[in-house]
Amino acid sequence: MIKIKDVSFSYEGNPKNALTNVTLEAARGDFLGIIGQSGAGKSTLTRVINGLVPHYYDGVFSGDAAVGGRATLESSPEELARSVGSLFQDIEGQLFASVVDDEVLFGLENFGVPRDEIESRVEYALAAAGISDLRTRAISTLSGGQKQKVAIAAITALKPEIMVLDEPTGELDPQSSRRVFETLRELNEKHGVTIVVVEQKIMMLCEFVSRLAVMNGGRLILEGPVASVLKNAEKLEDAGVNIPRVTTLALRLREHGLYDGEPPANIPEAARMMRTAVHASL
Ligand SMILES: Nc1ncnc2c1ncn2[C@@H]1O[C@H](COP(=O)(O)OP(=O)(O)OP(=O)(O)O)[C@@H](O)[C@H]1O
Ligand SMILES: [Mg+2]
């Protein structure tokens, strides 16, 4: 579905490599989280997937990237947009209609979706994003979380096989962030959409994604199932990634022989770990 092979990229006028020899694959139905400190290359990696790098951003590109069977170098971002829906880090810059309805319609009309299909697509997308009730609202009156969902609905309507989201919860409180991720989970589980998402809230991210990719200084330093990535405490620390406190706790408990499982990846697992540790210390 996504195949990135040995990709390096430096932006025009910036001699430092934004990406260095990145190789990454995602299969159909994957839910992949990307983490790393500021400047690590996360946004650049998402731009490789949707073809904005190197088509819109000038620079020096090497390696190969293919998405949904199309080589990104040989396809325009417009063509790629038919299989890859993108949500940018700057959400305000992505919404251009004044009413929710129109925002979702815009892409459908642009893509030449037949008239008789448009209405059902709008309904489907608004329902999938959980905002059917906001259909006629002015976008300017919506909260940050609601705007995120409008942007998600707008790309969902196009029924992309892949969605690439760059910090979709950047401006949101924890509760709205969870709601956005629940929407993504639904699209992933019920509609089989392959999802790649950059996210700072690592603990929450780990609850939803199946795999994690960790970027540091333009390199992909770790990649794999959540639990196996979180085990690499030192590498994560080197990458400036805030390791969940519960992971640090798991490692300490392990040192003291009070727990021998994997670091918990979610709240129920954390509760289980605590019970095990309490029993072991009695
Ligand atoms: N448009 C651009 N022009 C020049 N250099 C850029 C551009 N965008 C990013 N860079 C540089 O490329 C490197 C990777 O940046 P990128 O935006 O991909 O990092 P990031 O991990 O998304 O960071 P953040 O967490 O701050 O969003 C950085 O050194 C950055 O300064
Ligand atoms: Mg970024």
Side-chain angles (χ1 to χ4, degrees):
M1 186 91 315
I2 299 174
K3 275 193 178 165
I4 294 173
K5 198 162 166 249
D6 209 19
V7 164
S8 297
F9 182 73
S10 60
Y11 289 92
E12 180 101 13
N14 183 348
K16 213 181 106 211
N17 261 19
L19 294 177
T20 305
N21 304 118
V22 173
T23 295
L24 177 69
E25 289 195 14
R28 183 185 297 276
D30 271 351
F31 196 160
L32 174 70
I34 301 176
I35 59 176
Q37 64 192 335
S38 184
K42 306 180 297 296
S43 293
T44 308
L45 183 56
T46 64
R47 292 172 191 149
V48 169
I49 297 171
N50 57 32
L52 295 186
V53 163
H55 292 294
Y56 282 172
Y57 291 89
D58 289 333
V60 182
F61 182 97
S62 66
D64 282 307
V67 177
R70 288 198 184 103
T72 62
L73 279 179
E74 282 141 36
S75 318
S76 67
E78 290 76 16
E79 281 174 289
L80 291 169
R82 293 187 178 267
S83 43
V84 187
S86 303
L87 199 76
F88 307 129
Q89 203 165 348
D90 164 30
I91 185 80
E92 296 285 342
Q94 189 162 359
L95 298 172
F96 27 114
S98 53
V99 179
V100 171
D101 209 36
D102 290 338
E103 187 65 48
V104 182
L105 275 173
F106 182 82
L108 291 169
E109 285 170 350
N110 231 15
F111 271 29
V113 171
R115 291 246 146 245
D116 56 356
E117 221 184 283
I118 284 188
E119 177 54 28
S120 66
R121 291 265 205 125
V122 172
E123 276 172 24
Y124 152 80
L126 293 173
I131 51 167
S132 300
D133 55 327
L134 300 181
R135 180 165 182 162
T136 55
R137 285 277 295 276
I139 290 177
S140 60
T141 66
L142 303 179
S143 70
Q146 289 169 325
K147 284 182 189 167
Q148 299 280 11
K149 289 184 179 180
V150 172
I152 291 175
I155 51 176
T156 303
L158 306 173
K159 297 203 170 165
E161 301 163 82
I162 302 167
M163 280 192 193
V164 182
L165 308 101
D166 195 356
E167 305 201 17
T169 74
E171 310 286 315
L172 306 183
D173 59 68
Q175 225 183 356
S176 319
S177 301
R178 291 192 71 84
R179 272 189 236 120
V180 167
F181 266 85
E182 276 154 14
T183 303
L184 297 180
R185 173 185 275 162
E186 181 125 341
L187 288 168
N188 176 253
E189 288 180 354
K190 285 207 186 139
H191 304 279
V193 181
T194 305
I195 297 183
V196 179
V197 58
V198 177
E199 178 59 55
Q200 304 274 0
K201 302 178 187 90
I202 298 173
M203 195 56 187
M204 178 192 69
L205 181 71
C206 290
E207 253 184 77
F208 288 90
V209 296
S210 50
R211 288 165 63 219
L212 271 184
V214 186
M215 299 291 300
N216 188 17
R219 291 178 187 273
L220 180 69
I221 58 154
L222 287 169
E223 197 274 318
V226 175
S228 72
V229 166
L230 289 185
K231 267 189 277 187
N232 299 275
E234 258 174 53
K235 276 193 179 176
L236 290 168
E237 205 170 309
D238 286 346
V241 168
N242 280 327
I243 306 154
R245 256 171 285 176
V246 68
T247 303
T248 320
L249 180 61
L251 300 172
R252 298 282 297 276
L253 288 171
R254 216 147 56 174
E255 273 169 31
H256 288 83
L258 295 172
Y259 178 70
D260 61 2
E262 304 289 343
N266 52 42
I267 302 289
E269 281 182 32
R272 219 169 297 137
M273 173 181 82
M274 295 310 293
R275 277 196 298 273
T276 308
V278 168
H279 280 297
S281 61
L282 287 177

